[in-house]
Amino acid sequence: MSSPARRQDSFVFEVTQRCNHDCPHCYNAWKNPVDYPRGALPTAETLAMLDKLLDETGASLVSLSGGEPLLREDIYEIVDHLNARGVTVNLITNGSLLDEAAVARLTPGKVSVFELPLLSVDRAIHDEMSGSPGAFDRVTTAVADLKLADQRVVCVFVATKLNLATWRDTAELAIALGADGIMLNRFNPGGTGRENVARLQATPAALRGMLDDAQELSERYEFPISCSIAMPPCLFDHARWDRLGFGFCAAGTERAYYTLDPLGNVRPCNHSTLILGNIRERSFAELAESAAMRDFMAARPEFCRGCALEDTCLGGCKAAAEVCCGSPWAADPFLRAFAALARPPAAQARQGA
Amino acid sequence: MVQRVIGVWMIVVGLVGVVAVIVLVAMRLDARGAAQRGPWWKRRLIAAGLATLAALGAVPRNATAADGPTEVAAGQADAETGEDATEAVKAIFALKAALERLDTTLQQTDFQREALQGAMAQCRAQLAVLSDADKTATLTDEGRAEAKRLVAGATDKLATAEALLPIGTNDLLKAPQWATITAAWEYCQPLADSGKSTNAERKKVNEHIAAAKKAAKALAAAGLLTGAEAGLLSAELDRIKTAVYRNPPTDTPVMCYDSGYLPPARRSTQRLAKRLPLLKAVAEAERVNPEALAKVLATVEKDLATLADEQQVEALGEGKSKAAELREAVAPLVEQIKAKVARTRLERTEAWGKVEAFREACKAHEAERPDLAGRFAEARKALDELLEAGLIDEARHAELQAEIQKAVLQRTIERDTPMCYKPMFRGDSRVTPEQRREILDRLERDGRVEPALARRIAADLEGGAERAL
């Protein structure tokens, strides 16, 4: 096999657009008010498409997402195919279909990390945020069964006004369940979430309180917690929470997570609706170097011009800006909503924000 | 034969020394420090180990111990050149080793005089060989060029070492000569300012100033001051003396006293003209000594202010244009010097050391910088301290804060895992089963966890114990 034309460490594969939950914070691209292509390919074509993308990128990690991946009947075949190619597989699932049989089929070693939502220790809140009664019981059982099978599990907490008050206890539940880490993500508007911003969006102050608790929990239990949705440094002084991991937009870099939908359309990430093209018709290099992708990578909000951290932070989530405000050059809607509170990073640090 | 025996002996000593160094490093002890302390046999063994590792390129050459044995240099020369090499070839290698030892000693703030003298003696011994035309005749053209280069470098270094030997320290402020200079200032400046002094006091002023000028020269020869700084100090001492003698002595009645009055602007012009080349040299120098410049810049700035005063400058008549030229030439130099002084003062502070330590830590590989967050917090606090102390202004403070914060943020970019949407965990979970059990019990009591789930978790905990076994 020749060297990949354009190296990419990993990508996200949305195996299906179907889902058995109805989360008010869902960011899925096809849930935005755009004419997004719907459907999926048969198994053989899906595997061929994956092979093409893997050959052209040399990716060693694929995160299977959706929708709900386990709704796809050939999911195990996809996992086996990727394993046979030596690719590490992560599975992002709501856990509702991870019964004992499914767990047994996916172990041992077929999936490297399972990411499951744990939205609240309060059953009612978790079920409300999942849009599915009984979701809490199913996901907690799934996590426990995965841990019994000695699998690696990361719980995802999407921080909103609905569940923020229960964050601390929820984190402890995740720890008691044996989770290997928590992804602590602020609500990032997009998809269905665009219609629920007022109901869901927490303030920076409330989120800082959450981060303080996360820091304390991480210290007390020596437990890893990561904020994987951009937290703009002009609103959050990251150094205050030195136990937590913080990530920023990787669009266009080797560590970007280009997203492949079930029909082969490639997007900059799973939050964006921007289709760069179809991998079955064009090469990945063409898509990654297209004018649309270059524009996406170059995008910086006017608000952030001149900030010393502009090139690092990139103004937060460009995809959220794109889907909520029409362009990746707009400000991240979170930043936009709280712009009056933003301070240059150095001043932020001095004020102990 | 004898040389071969010595060579083998040196190799054996070197290898045993290497083992000793490795043991020290494995025990996280300071090998270089160990080479300078303790019994002679221990120092020499470790020095031999360090020298052998240096020869093998395993440690930088200048890490070799300061007071290692002379025979190490010779042994190293033998090891590198073989018993058939000529005396000149051996001298080249030996001189290189001796110069490294001299460098190491000269870099120590509180060096041992004996160590410096020993290093100098080694250099001189090899210089004697390489300065002998008959002996260097056996060298190739490249060898002779190398020898010439080494001789020139060694000669300069020895001159500095000679000058430094009586001073006994590399720290200007600890040098007795600096104490002489500050004593002169303390005694003479008040008398110069008041313009009133007795004959006895003037005699003492003369002695102080002569001693201070001599001391400045000695410090410049030793490299603790630049030549230009010593020159400026000397010029300032002359000014002080002139000021002391401005008026008649208070204990001698005089009818007429010619103190050589000149209009202030003319004096300023003369002083600045004399100081201009020295100020240029200081402004262009790599390093400055704030303490020395603090003694001279006030007069320069006062002279600049005089030449900026139109009324004062009027008295110069045709000399006005020269005064203006001088002012235009000197003023920017003074600003450059003050900026360098500020930077030097800043870089000497412990707070700045923390900022530099953080910058250095950022360069290390992820696995080797476990305490980056701690160093970042220290660096950030240090910058606030520097701002409060007035050593940096607000703009520089903001710039540096952003720089160090960017370094922390960029660390997340450089990690192996992707960025947004992917877990950026700092290490694995170290939650203990006891902690999990404690949380589980509490959640169960609060009704947060159903019995069925609690049983599953308990089973995992028990299973975990078995898996651990």
Side-chain angles (χ1 to χ4, degrees):
Chain A
M1 193 192 311
S2 56
S3 291
R6 203 188 193 271
R7 180 135 207 105
Q8 207 61 38
D9 290 350
S10 69
F11 58 89
V12 174
F13 177 37
E14 292 163 337
V15 303
T16 179
Q17 290 161 340
R18 290 182 291 147
C19 191
N20 56 356
H21 279 197
D22 187 20
C23 307
H25 56 272
C26 182
Y27 59 80
N28 280 156
W30 45 90
K31 294 190 179 172
N32 285 290
V34 297
D35 193 15
Y36 197 90
R38 303 290 299 235
L41 296 172
T43 309
E45 286 175 58
T46 297
L47 298 181
M49 168 180 84
L50 281 171
D51 282 341
K52 182 172 187 285
L53 187 51
L54 287 169
D55 289 342
E56 290 177 4
T57 60
S60 56
L61 167 66
V62 174
S63 295
L64 299 178
S65 181
E68 171 46 51
L70 290 169
L71 280 173
R72 187 163 172 151
E73 292 77 13
D74 58 356
I75 184 67
Y76 302 105
E77 209 171 325
I78 292 172
V79 170
D80 287 343
H81 182 81
L82 290 171
N83 285 162
R85 283 207 53 153
V87 172
T88 302
V89 176
N90 286 357
L91 184 65
I92 302 166
T93 167
N94 60 33
S96 60
L97 299 173
L98 262 181
D99 55 17
E100 287 184 35
V103 170
R105 279 189 83 172
L106 290 170
T107 62
K110 290 182 188 284
V111 172
S112 171
V113 175
F114 290 81
E115 287 179 25
L116 285 82
L118 188 62
L119 302 169
S120 179
V121 66
D122 186 301
R123 182 180 280 102
I125 294 176
H126 180 100
D127 287 355
E128 181 190 352
M129 283 187 67
S130 303
S132 174
F136 175 83
D137 290 329
R138 289 192 294 271
V139 77
T140 49
T141 303
V143 172
D145 284 347
L146 285 168
K147 291 312 299 177
L148 271 168
D150 205 20
Q151 287 296 307
R152 197 168 159 80
V153 176
V154 168
C155 289
V156 184
F157 182 92
V158 179
T160 70
K161 281 202 291 201
L162 297 179
N163 62 352
L164 206 44
T166 66
W167 152 244
R168 200 184 173 89
D169 285 347
T170 307
E172 290 200 313
L173 174 59
I175 292 169
L177 282 165
D180 297 281
I182 292 177
M183 281 171 72
L184 176 57
N185 294 343
R186 66 168 171 90
F187 164 62
N188 193 20
T192 310
R194 292 177 70 243
E195 294 151 27
N196 295 306
V197 174
R199 187 177 153 216
L200 299 176
Q201 184 64 72
T203 63
L207 291 169
R208 281 184 217 117
M210 171 193 79
L211 293 173
D212 287 339
D213 283 342
Q215 170 85 359
E216 195 261 310
L217 286 166
S218 181
E219 263 171 8
R220 188 201 302 176
Y221 294 112
E222 289 194 71
F223 183 76
I225 299 176
S226 157
C227 298
S228 302
I229 298 296
M231 306 287 272
C234 55
L235 288 169
F236 301 93
D237 176 18
H238 296 177
R240 183 167 141 183
W241 305 287
D242 57 8
R243 295 265 329 175
L244 312 182
F246 291 92
F248 292 89
C249 181
T253 71
E254 273 191 25
R255 292 166 296 289
Y257 58 103
Y258 287 93
T259 296
L260 181 70
D261 80 8
L263 293 169
N265 297 310
V266 174
R267 310 196 305 275
C269 66
N270 61 356
H271 204 96
S272 170
T273 56
L274 173 65
I275 292 177
L276 301 171
N278 195 295
I279 192 64
R280 296 160 76 215
E281 293 154 13
R282 294 163 70 184
S283 71
F284 177 75
E286 273 182 87
L287 301 179
E289 287 157 23
S290 62
M293 189 60 208
R294 282 203 302 276
D295 182 69
F296 192 90
M297 283 165 63
R300 304 276 191 280
E302 184 64 41
F303 178 82
C304 302
R305 291 286 158 79
C307 174
L309 297 172
E310 188 181 349
D311 288 340
T312 304
C313 167
L314 303 177
C317 181
K318 294 193 225 194
E322 173 218 310
V323 304
C324 295
C325 312
S327 165
W329 291 85
D332 178 326
F334 178 70
L335 187 54
R336 203 171 153 105
F338 298 105
L341 301 174
R343 294 281 179 273
Q348 178 85 238
R350 280 222 301 290
Q351 287 165 19
Chain B
M1 175 63 183
V2 169
Q3 283 180 326
R4 185 176 287 174
V5 168
I6 292 174
V8 168
W9 168 242
M10 284 299 112
I11 289 168
V12 167
V13 168
L15 287 173
V16 173
V18 165
V19 169
V21 169
I22 290 170
V23 167
L24 286 171
V25 170
M27 290 168 66
R28 295 182 187 242
L29 296 173
D30 177 15
R32 293 173 199 148
Q36 294 168 22
R37 296 184 298 272
W40 70 268
W41 57 266
K42 186 202 104 179
R43 285 188 276 118
R44 293 194 175 190
L45 187 66
I46 295 171
L50 287 170
T52 305
L53 286 169
L56 294 171
V59 296
R61 285 214 166 249
N62 61 8
T64 310
D67 60 347
T70 306
E71 50 266 37
V72 170
Q76 190 174 330
D78 278 345
E80 290 189 60
T81 59
E83 66 173 55
D84 294 330
T86 62
E87 196 180 348
V89 168
K90 286 182 187 165
I92 286 177
F93 283 98
L95 181 55
K96 282 184 183 172
L99 282 171
E100 279 168 25
R101 186 183 153 193
L102 184 60
D103 266 335
T104 306
T105 311
L106 287 173
Q107 279 163 29
Q108 294 169 343
T109 304
D110 295 316
F111 54 80
Q112 299 289 324
R113 272 203 170 87
E114 297 77 17
L116 184 57
Q117 283 168 328
M120 288 165 69
Q122 264 190 307
C123 287
R124 285 197 184 104
Q126 308 312 323
L127 270 180
V129 172
L130 293 177
S131 303
D132 185 333
D134 288 337
K135 289 180 180 160
T136 57
T138 59
L139 295 171
T140 61
D141 288 343
E142 289 83 9
R144 266 195 294 280
E146 174 74 354
K148 196 174 169 185
R149 188 189 65 76
L150 279 172
V151 166
T155 306
D156 286 342
K157 211 154 267 189
L158 278 171
T160 303
E162 279 285 4
L164 201 52
L165 201 54
I167 296 176
T169 176
N170 249 320
D171 185 339
L172 174 70
L173 301 185
K174 289 184 184 175
Q177 286 77 3
W178 182 253
T180 301
I181 292 173
T182 52
W185 244 268
E186 276 164 22
Y187 185 83
C188 305
Q189 186 71 65
L191 296 174
D193 289 343
S194 69
K196 294 177 185 170
S197 53
T198 63
N199 279 297
E201 284 168 338
R202 289 180 185 209
K203 190 173 170 204
K204 262 186 129 166
V205 160
N206 293 343
E207 287 167 5
H208 269 293
I209 286 179
K213 280 179 149 187
K214 191 175 167 194
K217 232 171 160 178
L219 290 171
L224 296 188
L225 287 175
T226 62
E229 284 168 341
L232 283 169
L233 283 169
S234 208
E236 188 62 12
L237 286 163
D238 286 339
R239 182 202 68 79
I240 290 174
K241 185 174 174 179
T242 304
V244 168
Y245 280 79
R246 183 171 75 238
N247 297 319
T250 53
D251 56 345
T252 306
V254 288
M255 297 301 293
C256 172
Y257 186 83
D258 180 7
S259 67
Y261 175 77
L262 282 176
R266 196 172 304 281
R267 273 196 202 283
S268 295
T269 308
Q270 284 177 349
R271 275 197 292 261
L272 286 183
K274 191 175 172 188
R275 284 163 174 72
L276 176 58
L278 298 170
L279 290 168
K280 257 192 198 152
V282 172
E284 286 165 12
E286 265 188 42
R287 62 173 183 87
V288 296
N289 285 291
E291 294 77 15
L293 294 170
K295 294 190 178 321
V296 306
L297 281 179
T299 301
V300 174
E301 288 186 294
K302 212 168 153 190
D303 286 335
L304 283 173
T306 301
L307 295 189
D309 184 335
E310 282 184 18
Q311 229 176 343
Q312 299 273 13
V313 165
E314 256 329 293
L316 292 177
E318 282 174 8
K320 269 195 314 199
S321 59
K322 170 135 197 216
E325 271 171 32
L326 261 178
R327 196 160 62 83
E328 273 174 29
V330 169
L333 294 175
V334 169
E335 290 312 305
Q336 280 174 45
I337 292 170
K338 280 161 74 171
K340 281 195 170 172
V341 165
R343 196 165 64 242
T344 304
R345 282 198 202 281
L346 173 70
E347 288 169 3
R348 282 184 187 170
T349 60
E350 200 181 316
W352 185 255
K354 289 181 182 163
V355 176
E356 286 293 318
F358 174 75
R359 280 171 163 174
E360 275 308 305
C362 285
K363 291 179 195 167
H365 187 272
E366 176 75 32
E368 292 159 17
R369 45 178 178 178
D371 191 30
L372 195 67
R375 284 178 198 265
F376 170 77
E378 282 184 3
R380 206 174 59 166
K381 195 172 161 209
L383 286 175
D384 287 344
E385 287 168 13
L386 291 170
L387 175 67
E388 269 179 44
L391 288 165
I392 53 176
D393 60 22
E394 287 264 1
R396 183 83 175 120
H397 177 265
E399 188 190 323
L400 288 166
Q401 285 284 8
E403 181 203 311
I404 64 171
Q405 185 153 16
K406 195 166 181 173
V408 172
L409 291 173
Q410 282 186 330
R411 183 167 81 98
T412 66
I413 296 173
E414 289 157 20
R415 283 177 68 104
D416 292 336
T417 52
M419 292 166 55
C420 185
Y421 199 68
K422 282 306 191 178
M424 302 291 297
F425 294 133
R426 300 185 180 205
D428 291 334
S429 170
R430 290 179 200 233
V431 178
T432 64
E434 291 73 30
Q435 287 171 321
R436 284 179 65 192
R437 217 179 288 278
E438 185 262 325
I439 297 170
L440 177 62
D441 289 344
R442 182 162 27 92
L443 290 172
E444 225 185 326
R445 274 198 309 273
D446 295 345
R448 302 284 209 180
V449 168
E450 295 286 332
L453 180 61
R455 281 196 295 275
R456 272 181 153 87
I457 297 172
D460 177 42
L461 283 167
E462 279 159 36
E466 279 176 23
R467 285 193 292 271
L469 288 172

